[in-house]
Amino acid sequence: MGKRKALIAGNWKMHTTVVDGCRLAMDVAKACTGYADREILLAPPFTILSEVSHVLEGSPIMVATQNVCWEEKGAFTGEISPVMVKDAGAVAAIVGHSERRQIFFETDEMINSRLKGAVKFGLLAILCIGETLDEREKGHTFQVLEDQLRKGLKTLAPGDMTRVVIAYEPVWAIGTGKTASKEQAQEAHAFIRGVLGRIYEKTVAEQTRILYGGSVKPTNIDELMAQPDIDGALVGGAALDAESFGRIINFR
Ligand code: PGA
């Protein structure tokens, strides 16, 4: 895996209010014991970013948002700016999650703007890409991944890639209990790294972290993390349970 630092991110999606979110963050912090070789992120809903950030003060766990706008401020009803999320304690932002693409019809262009906005204001941007079951069955997986990657990263300078993480999340594996096999995940990650090498250069591709997401659980995290091109995980369902997520961040 070279010198890429592992990153495990918990995506809480539209779950938790103040009390249960703070309790969950506290319990995860208790399960997290001094990791020099890995970074941990929690992505709670916008409404409790500040509270969760306060709860995690003094712990190595950092906070991320589940989405972010590209503008600093203005007439963008319903959106939250990179400056606002930083003000609330976030250091990173997920962009392009398949639920944003599929349920809220976010386009690659919009996702590219969100990513560049996050990077411009100093956040770490986690760009999610992934094929649907139909696309995989038709043999279009690589084409879809390359397309989403190129459009998502459009006009982003090589130097900015230090602030970008890619998350490979096959849509058919999200929330379904159906994890990609370690071979399927490794194959996609190696392909993604190859595309990064073609868009930028080999050193950029070698430095960029690529996370796997889609039904990551305590029972499959170790074998996923043992793959050479898997640098971490984006965890949904299992991140809502401190014991499960605790085991995942303690991967071996
Ligand atoms: P899951 O979600 O772990 O529940 O499959 C992953 C994600 O949507 O990021």
Side-chain angles (χ1 to χ4, degrees), residues 11 13 97 99 169 173-176 213-216 234-238:
N11 173 12
K13 306 194 179 184
H97 190 280
E99 285 147 22
E169 296 207 299
I174 296 178
T176 58
S215 299
V216 173
L234 182 53
V235 186

PDB file of all heavy atoms in Angstrom, residues 11 13 97 99 169 173-176 213-216 234-238, ligand 1:
ATOM      1  N   ASN A  11     -20.413   7.529   7.456  1.00  0.00           N
ATOM      2  CA  ASN A  11     -21.426   8.406   6.884  1.00  0.00           C
ATOM      3  C   ASN A  11     -22.753   8.107   7.581  1.00  0.00           C
ATOM      4  O   ASN A  11     -23.345   7.056   7.366  1.00  0.00           O
ATOM      5  CB  ASN A  11     -21.511   8.132   5.369  1.00  0.00           C
ATOM      6  CG  ASN A  11     -22.647   8.861   4.695  1.00  0.00           C
ATOM      7  OD1 ASN A  11     -23.269   9.749   5.277  1.00  0.00           O
ATOM      8  ND2 ASN A  11     -22.924   8.485   3.452  1.00  0.00           N
ATOM      9  N   LYS A  13     -25.549   9.569   7.186  1.00  0.00           N
ATOM     10  CA  LYS A  13     -26.711   9.857   6.331  1.00  0.00           C
ATOM     11  C   LYS A  13     -27.762  10.665   7.112  1.00  0.00           C
ATOM     12  O   LYS A  13     -27.395  11.478   7.969  1.00  0.00           O
ATOM     13  CB  LYS A  13     -27.275   8.554   5.762  1.00  0.00           C
ATOM     14  CG  LYS A  13     -26.186   7.747   5.055  1.00  0.00           C
ATOM     15  CD  LYS A  13     -26.694   6.637   4.184  1.00  0.00           C
ATOM     16  CE  LYS A  13     -25.513   5.945   3.525  1.00  0.00           C
ATOM     17  NZ  LYS A  13     -25.918   4.899   2.578  1.00  0.00           N
ATOM     18  N   HIS A  97     -22.073  11.527  -3.567  1.00  0.00           N
ATOM     19  CA  HIS A  97     -22.587  10.235  -3.084  1.00  0.00           C
ATOM     20  C   HIS A  97     -23.693   9.758  -4.021  1.00  0.00           C
ATOM     21  O   HIS A  97     -24.456  10.571  -4.553  1.00  0.00           O
ATOM     22  CB  HIS A  97     -23.123  10.386  -1.656  1.00  0.00           C
ATOM     23  CG  HIS A  97     -23.430   9.068  -1.018  1.00  0.00           C
ATOM     24  ND1 HIS A  97     -24.598   8.388  -1.289  1.00  0.00           N
ATOM     25  CD2 HIS A  97     -22.704   8.283  -0.187  1.00  0.00           C
ATOM     26  CE1 HIS A  97     -24.570   7.234  -0.621  1.00  0.00           C
ATOM     27  NE2 HIS A  97     -23.437   7.151   0.052  1.00  0.00           N
ATOM     28  N   GLU A  99     -26.469   8.547  -3.500  1.00  0.00           N
ATOM     29  CA  GLU A  99     -27.815   8.989  -3.117  1.00  0.00           C
ATOM     30  C   GLU A  99     -28.067  10.427  -3.593  1.00  0.00           C
ATOM     31  O   GLU A  99     -29.196  10.784  -3.944  1.00  0.00           O
ATOM     32  CB  GLU A  99     -28.004   8.841  -1.593  1.00  0.00           C
ATOM     33  CG  GLU A  99     -28.197   7.377  -1.217  1.00  0.00           C
ATOM     34  CD  GLU A  99     -27.649   6.966   0.141  1.00  0.00           C
ATOM     35  OE1 GLU A  99     -27.462   7.831   1.017  1.00  0.00           O
ATOM     36  OE2 GLU A  99     -27.397   5.745   0.323  1.00  0.00           O
ATOM     37  N   GLU A 169     -17.736   3.334  -4.622  1.00  0.00           N
ATOM     38  CA  GLU A 169     -18.918   2.783  -3.970  1.00  0.00           C
ATOM     39  C   GLU A 169     -19.847   2.183  -5.029  1.00  0.00           C
ATOM     40  O   GLU A 169     -20.662   2.913  -5.617  1.00  0.00           O
ATOM     41  CB  GLU A 169     -19.662   3.874  -3.196  1.00  0.00           C
ATOM     42  CG  GLU A 169     -18.859   4.459  -2.059  1.00  0.00           C
ATOM     43  CD  GLU A 169     -19.777   4.989  -0.970  1.00  0.00           C
ATOM     44  OE1 GLU A 169     -20.574   5.901  -1.252  1.00  0.00           O
ATOM     45  OE2 GLU A 169     -19.707   4.474   0.154  1.00  0.00           O
ATOM     46  N   ALA A 173     -23.991  -2.227  -3.936  1.00  0.00           N
ATOM     47  CA  ALA A 173     -23.494  -2.719  -2.641  1.00  0.00           C
ATOM     48  C   ALA A 173     -23.879  -1.802  -1.487  1.00  0.00           C
ATOM     49  O   ALA A 173     -23.688  -2.146  -0.321  1.00  0.00           O
ATOM     50  CB  ALA A 173     -21.978  -2.869  -2.698  1.00  0.00           C
ATOM     51  N   ILE A 174     -24.450  -0.628  -1.805  1.00  0.00           N
ATOM     52  CA  ILE A 174     -24.754   0.344  -0.749  1.00  0.00           C
ATOM     53  C   ILE A 174     -26.061   0.003  -0.046  1.00  0.00           C
ATOM     54  O   ILE A 174     -27.113  -0.051  -0.677  1.00  0.00           O
ATOM     55  CB  ILE A 174     -24.816   1.777  -1.319  1.00  0.00           C
ATOM     56  CG1 ILE A 174     -23.432   2.171  -1.860  1.00  0.00           C
ATOM     57  CG2 ILE A 174     -25.282   2.769  -0.251  1.00  0.00           C
ATOM     58  CD1 ILE A 174     -23.389   3.545  -2.490  1.00  0.00           C
ATOM     59  N   GLY A 175     -25.956  -0.244   1.243  1.00  0.00           N
ATOM     60  CA  GLY A 175     -27.142  -0.506   2.056  1.00  0.00           C
ATOM     61  C   GLY A 175     -27.853  -1.807   1.714  1.00  0.00           C
ATOM     62  O   GLY A 175     -28.975  -2.047   2.156  1.00  0.00           O
ATOM     63  N   THR A 176     -27.219  -2.657   0.941  1.00  0.00           N
ATOM     64  CA  THR A 176     -27.874  -3.890   0.495  1.00  0.00           C
ATOM     65  C   THR A 176     -27.379  -5.117   1.239  1.00  0.00           C
ATOM     66  O   THR A 176     -27.948  -6.199   1.110  1.00  0.00           O
ATOM     67  CB  THR A 176     -27.584  -4.128  -1.004  1.00  0.00           C
ATOM     68  OG1 THR A 176     -26.159  -4.187  -1.183  1.00  0.00           O
ATOM     69  CG2 THR A 176     -28.148  -3.019  -1.861  1.00  0.00           C
ATOM     70  N   GLY A 213     -16.521   1.637  -0.425  1.00  0.00           N
ATOM     71  CA  GLY A 213     -17.759   1.803   0.327  1.00  0.00           C
ATOM     72  C   GLY A 213     -18.850   0.926  -0.241  1.00  0.00           C
ATOM     73  O   GLY A 213     -18.945   0.725  -1.457  1.00  0.00           O
ATOM     74  N   GLY A 214     -19.692   0.394   0.633  1.00  0.00           N
ATOM     75  CA  GLY A 214     -20.788  -0.482   0.204  1.00  0.00           C
ATOM     76  C   GLY A 214     -20.825  -1.705   1.083  1.00  0.00           C
ATOM     77  O   GLY A 214     -20.072  -2.648   0.879  1.00  0.00           O
ATOM     78  N   SER A 215     -21.697  -1.636   2.135  1.00  0.00           N
ATOM     79  CA  SER A 215     -21.862  -2.755   3.065  1.00  0.00           C
ATOM     80  C   SER A 215     -20.555  -3.209   3.719  1.00  0.00           C
ATOM     81  O   SER A 215     -20.324  -4.406   3.898  1.00  0.00           O
ATOM     82  CB  SER A 215     -22.571  -3.928   2.376  1.00  0.00           C
ATOM     83  OG  SER A 215     -23.863  -3.534   1.946  1.00  0.00           O
ATOM     84  N   VAL A 216     -19.720  -2.236   4.090  1.00  0.00           N
ATOM     85  CA  VAL A 216     -18.526  -2.570   4.878  1.00  0.00           C
ATOM     86  C   VAL A 216     -18.992  -2.929   6.287  1.00  0.00           C
ATOM     87  O   VAL A 216     -19.829  -2.236   6.871  1.00  0.00           O
ATOM     88  CB  VAL A 216     -17.528  -1.389   4.923  1.00  0.00           C
ATOM     89  CG1 VAL A 216     -16.384  -1.687   5.888  1.00  0.00           C
ATOM     90  CG2 VAL A 216     -16.996  -1.091   3.529  1.00  0.00           C
ATOM     91  N   LEU A 234     -15.557   3.866   3.355  1.00  0.00           N
ATOM     92  CA  LEU A 234     -16.652   4.787   3.631  1.00  0.00           C
ATOM     93  C   LEU A 234     -17.812   3.906   4.088  1.00  0.00           C
ATOM     94  O   LEU A 234     -18.288   3.058   3.334  1.00  0.00           O
ATOM     95  CB  LEU A 234     -16.999   5.590   2.374  1.00  0.00           C
ATOM     96  CG  LEU A 234     -18.092   6.651   2.489  1.00  0.00           C
ATOM     97  CD1 LEU A 234     -17.834   7.624   3.639  1.00  0.00           C
ATOM     98  CD2 LEU A 234     -18.184   7.457   1.188  1.00  0.00           C
ATOM     99  N   VAL A 235     -18.200   4.097   5.339  1.00  0.00           N
ATOM    100  CA  VAL A 235     -19.115   3.157   5.986  1.00  0.00           C
ATOM    101  C   VAL A 235     -20.447   3.825   6.278  1.00  0.00           C
ATOM    102  O   VAL A 235     -20.479   4.900   6.888  1.00  0.00           O
ATOM    103  CB  VAL A 235     -18.487   2.665   7.316  1.00  0.00           C
ATOM    104  CG1 VAL A 235     -19.347   1.570   7.936  1.00  0.00           C
ATOM    105  CG2 VAL A 235     -17.057   2.190   7.101  1.00  0.00           C
ATOM    106  N   GLY A 236     -21.546   3.212   5.876  1.00  0.00           N
ATOM    107  CA  GLY A 236     -22.867   3.759   6.140  1.00  0.00           C
ATOM    108  C   GLY A 236     -23.494   3.088   7.351  1.00  0.00           C
ATOM    109  O   GLY A 236     -23.216   3.441   8.499  1.00  0.00           O
ATOM    110  N   GLY A 237     -24.324   2.087   7.101  1.00  0.00           N
ATOM    111  CA  GLY A 237     -25.082   1.418   8.153  1.00  0.00           C
ATOM    112  C   GLY A 237     -24.274   1.036   9.384  1.00  0.00           C
ATOM    113  O   GLY A 237     -24.676   1.315  10.523  1.00  0.00           O
ATOM    114  N   ALA A 238     -23.118   0.422   9.172  1.00  0.00           N
ATOM    115  CA  ALA A 238     -22.316  -0.056  10.304  1.00  0.00           C
ATOM    116  C   ALA A 238     -21.684   1.085  11.104  1.00  0.00           C
ATOM    117  O   ALA A 238     -21.175   0.868  12.207  1.00  0.00           O
ATOM    118  CB  ALA A 238     -21.238  -1.022   9.817  1.00  0.00           C
TER     119      ALA A 238
HETATM  120  P1  PGA B   1     -23.501   1.189   3.603  1.00  0.00           P
HETATM  121  O1  PGA B   1     -23.388   2.671   2.977  1.00  0.00           O
HETATM  122  O2  PGA B   1     -22.230   0.940   4.368  1.00  0.00           O
HETATM  123  O3  PGA B   1     -24.714   1.228   4.464  1.00  0.00           O
HETATM  124  O4  PGA B   1     -23.640   0.252   2.447  1.00  0.00           O
HETATM  125  C1  PGA B   1     -22.194   3.141   2.422  1.00  0.00           C
HETATM  126  C2  PGA B   1     -22.369   4.544   1.914  1.00  0.00           C
HETATM  127  O5  PGA B   1     -23.453   4.866   1.420  1.00  0.00           O
HETATM  128  O6  PGA B   1     -21.443   5.384   1.982  1.00  0.00           O
END
